[in-house]
Amino acid sequence: LLTAWLRLIYPYDLDFVENGILMASLRLSQHRPIFIPPQADFTPHVYMPLYSWLGGLLFKLTGPGYGPLRGLSLLSTLATSGMIFWIARRESGQSWLGLACAGLFLGGYRINGFWYELARVDSLFVTLSLAGLMLGGYGYHSNVGLVSAAIVLALAFLTKQTAILVG
């Protein structure tokens, strides 16, 4: 968390994707389109729009910068950790095992290339994908559970195209 916090407040891009996500979020906060032909001042990434749209909403509250986008990714990572803990504890009946599983996920920070809190779509994609699978896996006995799972998985797809495989 200390490493993530220091990177959260760092004012410059830490990854080649962050600048493009920042610019897309800024454009959306200004009610400008992001899916346009490449231009000298803006070339869109081929990511789906949900992360940038949420970033644009955050920019209206905080002003533009990497901090709000990285905060969104960090909160997504913490939500994923919480869901992993909950699933492991539910399935095993052991809280220590839930902590160990969440810890293993967080322990992958270095192995995964330090991207958990970067201004990238990946953390939100993982969170929404796991949430959709969790809702579908535990809520399959009701229409509300299945519809909720479908909605969350659709949001995961609107975050990153590969969520179609998860769905």
Side-chain angles (χ1 to χ4, degrees):
L1 286 173
L2 177 62
T3 301
W5 173 254
L6 293 174
R7 289 165 50 106
L8 188 74
I9 60 175
Y10 185 69
Y12 305 106
D13 60 339
L14 293 165
D15 185 73
F16 68 96
V17 174
E18 282 193 313
N19 188 47
I21 299 292
L22 175 81
M23 295 308 296
S25 297
L26 182 61
R27 288 180 66 88
L28 285 170
S29 73
Q30 298 167 344
H31 304 287
R32 296 168 55 198
I34 58 171
F35 297 116
I36 60 172
Q39 300 174 355
D41 62 338
F42 179 72
T43 300
H45 285 288
V46 292
Y47 288 123
M48 299 295 275
L50 183 63
Y51 186 91
S52 297
W53 181 75
L54 291 173
L57 289 177
L58 286 172
F59 285 178
K60 290 185 179 214
L61 298 172
T62 64
Y66 291 111
L69 299 175
R70 291 177 185 152
L72 175 60
S73 293
L74 181 59
L75 287 176
S76 297
T77 297
L78 295 175
T80 298
S81 300
M83 286 185 285
I84 291 171
F85 169 80
W86 185 84
I87 292 167
R89 187 184 65 184
R90 177 185 166 128
E91 294 300 317
S92 70
Q94 305 291 323
S95 293
W96 72 267
L97 190 57
L99 284 172
C101 291
L104 283 172
F105 171 70
L106 293 172
Y109 183 67
R110 180 175 179 260
I111 295 168
N112 289 327
F114 307 101
W115 59 262
Y116 286 172
E117 82 287 352
L118 292 182
R120 297 177 55 116
V121 302
D122 304 300
S123 294
L124 183 61
F125 158 72
V126 170
T127 300
L128 291 172
S129 296
L130 182 59
L133 291 173
M134 188 176 74
L135 286 167
Y138 294 119
Y140 66 90
H141 57 280
S142 73
N143 287 337
V144 172
L146 292 174
V147 169
S148 299
I151 290 169
V152 172
L153 288 170
L155 291 172
F157 175 73
L158 288 173
T159 304
K160 193 170 183 177
Q161 299 95 323
T162 53
I164 195 76
L165 300 173
V166 177

